Amino acid sequence: MELKTYFPFWDKLSISDKEIMESFAKIKKVKKGEIIHNGTENCSDLLLITDGQLRAYIMSEEGKEITLYRMFERDMCLFSAACIVNSIEFDIIVEAALDSEIISIPAEVYKNIMEKYAAVALYTNEVMAAKFSDVMWLMDQVVNKKLDSRLAAFLIEESDINNTKELKLTHEKIARHLGSVREVITRMLKYFQTEELVKLNRGGIEIINRDGLEKIGEPSIR
Amino acid sequence: MELKTYFPFWDKLSISDKEIMESFAKIKKVKKGEIIHNGTENCSDLLLITDGQLRAYIMSEEGKEITLYRMFERDMCLFSAACIVNSIEFDIIVEAALDSEIISIPAEVYKNIMEKYAAVALYTNEVMAAKFSDVMWLMDQVVNKKLDSRLAAFLIEESDINNTKELKLTHEKIARHLGSVREVITRMLKYFQTEELVKLNRGGIEIINRDGLEKIGEPSIR
DNA sequence: CACCATATGTAACAAAGTTACATAAAAATC
DNA sequence: GATTTTTATGTAACTTTGTTACATATGGTG
């Protein structure tokens, strides 16, 4: 388990602190769909993603979701261990978007190290700021963009991530990503189909005209 | 200028670092409406609010705004000096919501200290996490709440902050806070008026039935 | 093949944003 | 003080998105 490849501050730790980190770090395998952290739980571990993909999202009282950001290989999942930083008072849910492999480190262990080394606190800072950045991007999208452009952008993103034009996604799942509802996504995808941008199948969407989607997804000023 | 009352880590700094901070810290007075930091600028100073109120918001290409959070006495404005933390790639605008007095410290000075002391990095962490928390609350509001309840909650908040039932706010300003548009706010306030929750005057809103607004603003499950 | 869970389709209506003006009150200017 | 200008508010028609309430379709399983 190569912790040093995940932690840029690794070289600054003392031998004993390295040993502590290594002794507490555990490799876990999680199945697609598994909930890794549920906001209401007090505090879980700090996670390093070695393979797969995690999705962080929030859920309303009525069960409506919106994806905040996704985490891929080499990323650090900070808010599964929100207790590392106080003054956080919101519930983020983290699930495995694919079968994934992660390294988990008890929050307390990481916290102790962080309180000892400025470099570790600074790195934690950077990770948090990056997530903040993602959420701010989302805020701009939600407040200022129309749903058709968000949907088009999402389809393209999904296509790029999985390197395929045949997306295995239900309308329901897309709605959950975008903070919308199934009926609206169905309606909009139908429209995309009449425009020959996509072809719809049960449980899947085929991108036919990527350029057309990009035009909708990245409008200069509409 | 009592920096130590603003920085919980003050006692941990060396004498010389304290002197550096104090020598670079400057008191500034800013007028209501003044833009203190515009996202596009590279990096300004770190700010401590000694009196008044600052507002952080984002603006779309078309000029539509939404307030992210507000900062009051004793608060620290981190993102006016976003360069302190790398990996931030979004533009926050900070303006004085009231005539205010602030202490400004050059970002570079603070950054140097932060890189030296874990306690300073941790505190910066806490401040950022608190802002993140605010933005996450807003995200939930924007995605999951109806505008009438957000408007009602905003009127109450505003009333509490200024300790008056006579709010000096135009429909336009309210819309900018909530990320909506003037026409919609006008429409909704008119409705509130027919329900005898508020009384509308040019440039002002008088809260008549606070309990009624609270009922709209804090619905259990709608 | 029948049954069932999941996925999709659709229509009518409600909520919020957009466009495009009209009107009204205050402030500035003459 | 009357006139012009600026700022604030009012409103209607229309679009987009969300809600409610079903209907229909598809693929897997016994």
Side-chain angles (χ1 to χ4, degrees):
Chain A
M1 190 164 22
E2 297 284 324
L3 282 184
K4 76 174 158 205
T5 66
Y6 289 90
F7 292 136
F9 53 75
W10 191 250
D11 291 341
K12 303 201 173 167
L13 302 187
S14 70
I15 307 277
S16 68
D17 283 332
K18 285 181 190 170
E19 283 171 1
I20 288 171
M21 290 274 268
E22 275 169 342
S23 68
F24 278 102
K26 301 278 177 245
I27 292 182
K28 281 187 189 176
K29 287 182 189 284
V30 288
K31 284 278 170 198
K32 177 174 174 175
E34 194 172 322
I35 305 292
I36 296 164
H37 170 73
N38 190 324
T40 53
E41 289 164 26
N42 248 353
C43 196
S44 5
D45 299 342
L46 182 89
L47 306 177
L48 300 170
I49 295 95
T50 58
D51 188 45
Q53 182 189 330
L54 305 189
R55 176 173 87 101
Y57 61 99
I58 54 174
M59 186 184 279
S60 74
E61 291 169 2
E62 294 83 26
K64 191 171 152 188
E65 301 178 5
I66 186 168
T67 298
L68 297 172
Y69 48 83
R70 296 194 261 186
M71 289 161 284
F72 303 92
E73 208 179 312
R74 320 207 58 67
D75 211 338
M76 176 162 123
C77 178
L78 188 57
F79 292 112
S80 56
C83 61
I84 284 180
V85 183
N86 312 320
S87 51
I88 287 190
E89 289 175 8
F90 53 90
D91 292 343
I92 286 182
I93 307 170
V94 178
E95 69 161 25
L98 300 173
D99 290 353
S100 304
E101 193 181 270
I102 58 186
I103 299 172
S104 82
I105 298 170
E108 277 303 317
V109 172
Y110 187 83
K111 194 180 181 186
N112 284 336
I113 304 275
M114 181 173 72
E115 285 169 355
K116 203 164 155 186
Y117 298 90
V120 179
L122 287 172
Y123 178 67
T124 309
N125 239 312
E126 291 291 329
V127 172
M128 180 154 54
K131 303 314 176 202
F132 201 159
S133 229
D134 289 345
V135 170
M136 287 303 306
W137 178 86
L138 178 62
M139 180 69 76
D140 177 61
Q141 293 282 312
V142 168
V143 175
N144 297 316
K145 307 296 181 190
K146 298 212 167 176
L147 194 58
D148 59 351
S149 75
R150 291 179 58 213
L151 175 56
F154 174 74
L155 294 176
I156 291 169
E157 184 193 347
E158 200 63 21
S159 168
D160 288 349
I161 289 174
N162 301 301
N163 198 33
T164 172
K165 288 182 182 296
E166 316 258 346
L167 310 178
K168 289 200 186 72
L169 283 170
T170 66
H171 303 179
E172 176 70 33
K173 276 188 187 167
I174 295 172
R176 288 179 174 211
H177 267 289
L178 298 177
S180 180
V181 292
R182 203 261 313 159
E183 293 83 344
V184 175
I185 301 299
T186 297
R187 186 197 286 156
M188 213 159 265
L189 283 174
K190 282 260 115 183
Y191 171 73
F192 283 4
Q193 190 172 42
T194 67
E195 296 292 307
E196 309 212 324
L197 299 167
V198 300
K199 186 168 179 305
L200 304 178
N201 314 298
R202 184 187 170 88
I205 295 162
E206 184 185 348
I207 293 180
I208 296 174
N209 179 353
R210 190 193 154 104
D211 291 347
L213 284 178
E214 276 176 354
K215 212 167 283 177
I216 295 174
E218 287 162 21
S220 54
I221 292 187
R222 317 189 75 206
Chain B
M1 192 165 18
E2 297 286 323
L3 283 185
K4 75 172 156 204
T5 66
Y6 290 90
F7 291 135
F9 53 74
W10 192 250
D11 291 340
K12 302 201 174 169
L13 301 186
S14 70
I15 307 278
S16 68
D17 284 330
K18 284 180 193 173
E19 284 171 1
I20 288 171
M21 290 273 268
E22 276 169 342
S23 68
F24 279 101
K26 301 277 176 246
I27 292 183
K28 281 187 189 175
K29 287 181 189 283
V30 289
K31 285 278 171 199
K32 176 175 175 175
E34 194 172 323
I35 304 292
I36 297 164
H37 171 73
N38 190 326
T40 53
E41 289 163 26
N42 248 354
C43 196
S44 6
D45 300 343
L46 183 88
L47 306 177
L48 301 170
I49 294 96
T50 59
D51 189 43
Q53 182 188 329
L54 305 189
R55 175 174 88 102
Y57 61 98
I58 53 174
M59 186 184 278
S60 75
E61 290 170 3
E62 294 83 26
K64 192 169 151 189
E65 301 178 4
I66 186 169
T67 299
L68 297 171
Y69 48 83
R70 295 194 263 186
M71 289 162 284
F72 303 93
E73 208 179 312
R74 320 207 59 65
D75 211 338
M76 176 163 123
C77 179
L78 187 57
F79 292 112
S80 56
C83 61
I84 283 179
V85 183
N86 312 320
S87 48
I88 288 190
E89 290 176 7
F90 53 89
D91 291 343
I92 287 182
I93 306 170
V94 179
E95 69 161 24
L98 300 173
D99 290 354
S100 305
E101 193 181 273
I102 57 186
I103 299 172
S104 82
I105 297 170
E108 279 303 317
V109 171
Y110 187 84
K111 195 179 180 186
N112 285 335
I113 305 276
M114 181 173 72
E115 285 170 354
K116 202 163 156 188
Y117 297 90
V120 179
L122 287 172
Y123 178 68
T124 310
N125 240 313
E126 291 292 327
V127 172
M128 179 156 52
K131 305 312 176 203
F132 201 158
S133 229
D134 289 345
V135 171
M136 287 302 306
W137 178 87
L138 177 62
M139 180 69 76
D140 178 61
Q141 294 283 312
V142 168
V143 175
N144 297 316
K145 307 296 181 192
K146 298 213 168 178
L147 193 59
D148 59 351
S149 76
R150 291 179 57 212
L151 174 56
F154 174 74
L155 294 177
I156 290 169
E157 184 193 346
E158 200 63 21
S159 168
D160 288 348
I161 288 175
N162 301 303
N163 199 32
T164 173
K165 288 182 182 295
E166 315 258 345
L167 311 177
K168 289 200 185 71
L169 282 170
T170 65
H171 303 178
E172 176 70 33
K173 277 187 186 165
I174 296 173
R176 287 177 174 213
H177 266 290
L178 297 177
S180 180
V181 291
R182 203 261 313 160
E183 292 84 343
V184 175
I185 301 298
T186 298
R187 186 196 286 156
M188 214 158 265
L189 282 174
K190 282 259 117 183
Y191 170 73
F192 282 5
Q193 190 172 41
T194 67
E195 298 290 309
E196 309 212 324
L197 299 168
V198 300
K199 187 167 177 308
L200 304 179
N201 314 298
R202 184 186 168 89
I205 295 161
E206 183 185 348
I207 293 179
I208 296 173
N209 179 354
R210 189 192 154 105
D211 290 349
L213 284 178
E214 276 177 353
K215 211 167 282 175
I216 295 173
E218 287 163 19
S220 54
I221 293 187
R222 318 188 71 205

